[in-house]
């Protein structure tokens, strides 16, 4: 996988990344209904356009993963379902460690695979909320990584 920071967030790329996001969420966020996913999807282009640093992972010139970073926090990380378990998430997070000194991430508690992944990457839970950032009943886990 080739990782690059996106400078030109053109409509075509944003649409491709929204498609990656949707497939990834449907595979990992089993607690969300189809209607909830459709509603959240309407906000994804703005999130992709607004995040400070947007990294895209490509295989054979096709986006298969992406990660957004704001200050020292991973704000988003999504991977094509058929690419999961192949080390792409690890590559992206290690890139974030090396290039952005990332120390924070937040995950849905109801997504235990993401929680476990970030713990394996050296993060630990320091806070839990019973509602998500939109006030919905989806508990969030806030994780911090100790500096090396």
């Amino acid at each position: 996988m080739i990782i690059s920071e996106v400078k030109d967030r053109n409509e075509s790329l944003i649409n491709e990344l929204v498609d990656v996001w949707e497939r990834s969420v449907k595979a990992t966020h089993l607690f969300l209904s189809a209607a909830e996913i459709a509603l959240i999807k309407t906000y994804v282009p703005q999130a992709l356009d607004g995040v400070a640093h947007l990294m895209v992972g490509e295989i054979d010139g096709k986006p298969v993963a992406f990660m957004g970073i704001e200050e020292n926090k991973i704000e988003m990380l999504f991977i094509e379902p058929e690419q999961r378990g192949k080390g792409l998430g690890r590559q992206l997070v290690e890139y974030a460690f090396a290039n952005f000194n990332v120390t924070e991430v937040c995950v849905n508690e109801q997504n235990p695979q993401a929680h476990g992944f970030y713990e394996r990457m050296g993060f630990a839970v320091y806070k839990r909320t019973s509602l998500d950032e939109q006030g919905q009943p989806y508990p969030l886990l806030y994780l911090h990584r100790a500096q090396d």
Side-chain angles (χ1 to χ4, degrees):
M1 177 175 70
I2 297 171
I3 299 171
S4 58
E5 184 168 358
V6 175
K7 299 299 182 196
D8 178 18
R9 299 181 193 190
N10 62 66
E11 184 177 356
S12 175
L13 176 64
I14 294 295
N15 289 338
E16 286 183 87
L17 297 182
V18 169
D19 290 344
V20 170
W21 174 88
E22 185 173 23
R23 288 187 292 272
S24 178
V25 167
K26 286 180 176 178
T28 60
H29 292 61
L30 304 179
F31 55 93
L32 293 174
S33 70
E36 289 167 315
I37 291 171
L39 176 63
I40 297 166
K41 182 180 176 181
T42 65
Y43 302 108
V44 174
Q46 181 180 356
L48 289 166
D49 195 46
V51 72
H53 303 282
L54 179 62
M55 269 55 63
V56 173
E58 294 183 339
I59 295 177
D60 298 328
K62 181 180 187 305
V64 296
F66 67 88
M67 173 178 62
I69 297 173
E70 195 75 43
E71 295 182 13
N72 65 335
K73 183 178 181 185
I74 296 174
E75 291 289 343
M76 58 186 84
L77 193 158
F78 293 93
I79 299 170
E80 284 282 6
E82 66 272 7
Q83 296 296 333
R84 291 179 59 222
K86 297 181 180 179
L88 278 62
R90 175 174 292 279
Q91 287 179 329
L92 284 166
V93 172
E94 288 175 349
Y95 184 93
F97 290 161
N99 295 283
F100 296 97
N101 195 31
V102 164
T103 59
E104 302 277 334
V105 69
C106 177
V107 298
N108 288 98
E109 184 177 60
Q110 295 158 296
N111 185 351
Q113 292 177 349
H115 178 200
F117 166 74
Y118 285 113
E119 284 188 334
R120 288 188 300 279
M121 294 302 299
F123 289 88
V125 174
Y126 71 88
K127 181 172 100 174
R128 178 189 183 274
T129 61
S130 58
L131 302 176
D132 69 12
E133 292 161 343
Q134 288 72 43
Q136 298 300 311
Y138 302 116
L140 295 178
L141 300 174
Y142 293 80
L143 296 92
H144 184 267
R145 177 179 179 255
Q147 296 291 329
D148 292 334

